[in-house]
Amino acid sequence: MTNPLRFSVLDRSLVRSGRSPSESLPRTVRFAAEAEALGYHRFWVAEHHGVPGAAGSAPTVLAAAVAAATSRIRVGTGGVMLPNHRPLVVAEQFGVLESLHPGRIDMGLGRSLGFTASVRRALGSGRESAERFGAQLAELLDYFAGESDPRAIPSAGLRIPVFVLATGSGVEHAAEAGLPLVIAAVRGDEALLRSVERYRELFRPSLWSSQPHVVLSRSVAVAETTGRARELLVPEAFSTAYSRVHGVFPPLETVGEIRARRFGRREQEQFERAMVGHVYGTEDEVAEQLQSLVDDTEADEVLVTTSGPDEDALLDSYRRLARLIPG
């Protein structure tokens, strides 16, 4: 690649078929140590509630375990869903994390609600919760700026990098608060380019960021051949397609198990849709695709989200991608 670019990892602690959710969490911690050794810039974990195929339900707790198992890589969340929490509690949690691991903690925030109606009821969140995101974000930032009553201890005065995940109006919230933007990147997506352009147009410098900062989030698969790289994307694409048809995101199955299935018409349509827009191929092919994506968006980082049941093949993909990290 011709331009310097940072690569980071978002691991969503997805559950492998035939394994328990509790087995996925230690694997995330081990993977973080491997990502650090490979030279990745950040390692983030996610928040999911009541999802059979995702074990990461308490991101700040998991981030603490990741930070304790590593020494250099930045650790954070992608993200904490602010409508599910009180801003004071989120400020306190990240204040503790930053105090224990100074200079290494990131706070990624989202506005997504629970996956199902029963989860949303259990969390006490609804559409109005998402609509309050801007006010919640401002309150949370005030706790770190030391401009709140009560004061958040030990958070007041700490300058933790804050990122906003762009779902819905997230672009506007990130720009108006002067925060870096994390946005899903689909190659050839004109809506992506318009969103990034709007973010830069609306951006207001803040205590947290003096200029716009764009992080592209995308599945990236690298292998010896293009076909093998594409296969790495199949398990998560199928789980995504299944969730859109049946309302449940299941544990990841192997490519062989998926090929043995009989797809219904809607499943086939959703699967084909879920396989579009990813970055995959050999190292040279992926370098070219990423360079094109970054040139189009002028992005500062790429946040890789690839998951799969074949841990060896997945780690090999991350090793190959790490070779593209500027030395």
Side-chain angles (χ1 to χ4, degrees):
M1 298 182 68
T2 58
N3 297 324
L5 186 69
R6 284 175 166 170
F7 289 89
S8 299
V9 177
L10 169 63
D11 188 82
R12 290 181 287 134
S13 301
L14 296 188
V15 181
R16 276 61 176 173
S17 180
R19 300 187 184 181
S20 69
S22 61
E23 291 178 278
S24 298
L25 299 174
R27 182 198 170 278
T28 291
V29 176
R30 293 194 302 270
F31 182 32
E34 292 163 345
E36 178 176 73
L38 290 171
Y40 286 91
H41 182 55
R42 310 180 197 275
F43 190 94
W44 285 1
V45 296
E47 176 179 341
H48 297 281
H49 299 281
V51 179
S57 57
T60 54
V61 177
L62 185 53
V66 167
T70 55
S71 59
R72 300 183 308 279
I73 196 168
R74 297 198 63 87
V75 176
T77 56
V80 164
M81 298 300 132
L82 202 50
N84 299 335
H85 309 277
R86 299 299 302 174
L88 173 61
V89 175
V90 175
E92 291 170 338
Q93 290 173 343
F94 278 93
V96 170
L97 281 170
E98 174 66 15
S99 298
L100 292 172
H101 307 281
R104 294 182 56 212
I105 301 300
D106 299 326
M107 181 166 58
L109 305 167
R111 62 192 294 270
S112 297
L113 303 179
F115 193 65
T116 63
S118 62
V119 169
R120 291 191 290 274
R121 284 195 299 272
L123 292 169
S125 60
R127 181 175 298 177
E128 69 282 356
S129 301
E131 292 172 352
R132 293 198 304 267
F133 179 81
Q136 287 183 301
L137 178 61
E139 180 183 345
L140 176 60
L141 297 180
D142 282 347
Y143 285 123
F144 285 98
E147 298 173 355
S148 62
D149 181 19
R151 288 175 64 84
I153 307 297
S155 312
L158 296 180
R159 288 292 178 266
I160 299 174
V162 185
F163 299 76
V164 173
L165 280 61
T167 56
S169 58
V171 168
E172 287 79 10
H173 288 306
E176 291 169 4
L179 299 174
L181 176 74
V182 182
I183 187 167
V186 178
R187 288 186 296 127
D189 183 2
E190 290 297 323
L192 166 67
L193 301 182
R194 290 195 298 270
S195 293
V196 170
E197 182 179 2
R198 180 163 177 76
Y199 164 70
R200 291 198 170 100
E201 289 175 351
L202 297 176
F203 185 87
R204 301 174 183 173
S206 69
L207 290 173
W208 281 265
S209 186
S210 61
Q211 59 188 8
H213 186 96
V214 176
V215 182
L216 301 180
S217 174
R218 190 70 258 173
S219 294
V220 180
V222 195
E224 185 178 284
T225 67
T226 306
R228 289 181 180 176
R230 187 178 187 278
E231 279 194 345
L232 286 175
L233 302 171
V234 168
E236 188 169 358
F238 173 74
S239 288
T240 299
Y242 189 94
S243 72
R244 290 172 178 167
V245 175
H246 302 283
V248 177
F249 188 94
L252 299 177
E253 299 181 5
T254 66
V255 174
E257 289 171 328
I258 293 168
R259 284 178 174 165
R261 281 179 169 270
R262 288 187 176 181
F263 282 37
R265 179 184 59 81
R266 289 183 62 207
E267 286 180 338
Q268 184 65 42
E269 290 173 353
Q270 291 295 339
F271 174 73
E272 291 173 1
R273 186 174 302 174
M275 286 293 293
V276 172
H278 304 287
V279 174
Y280 67 90
T282 63
E283 290 173 39
D284 288 342
E285 290 170 337
V286 166
E288 183 178 353
Q289 293 170 44
L290 286 175
Q291 189 65 63
S292 176
L293 189 59
V294 170
D295 286 345
D296 289 342
T297 59
E298 299 182 15
D300 301 282
E301 299 184 38
V302 173
L303 181 66
V304 184
T305 66
T306 315
S307 299
D310 188 337
E311 296 180 17
D312 291 337
L314 192 62
L315 183 57
D316 179 67
S317 175
Y318 277 96
R319 286 192 183 112
R320 291 175 183 272
L321 181 61
R323 294 172 188 164
L324 305 180
I325 297 175

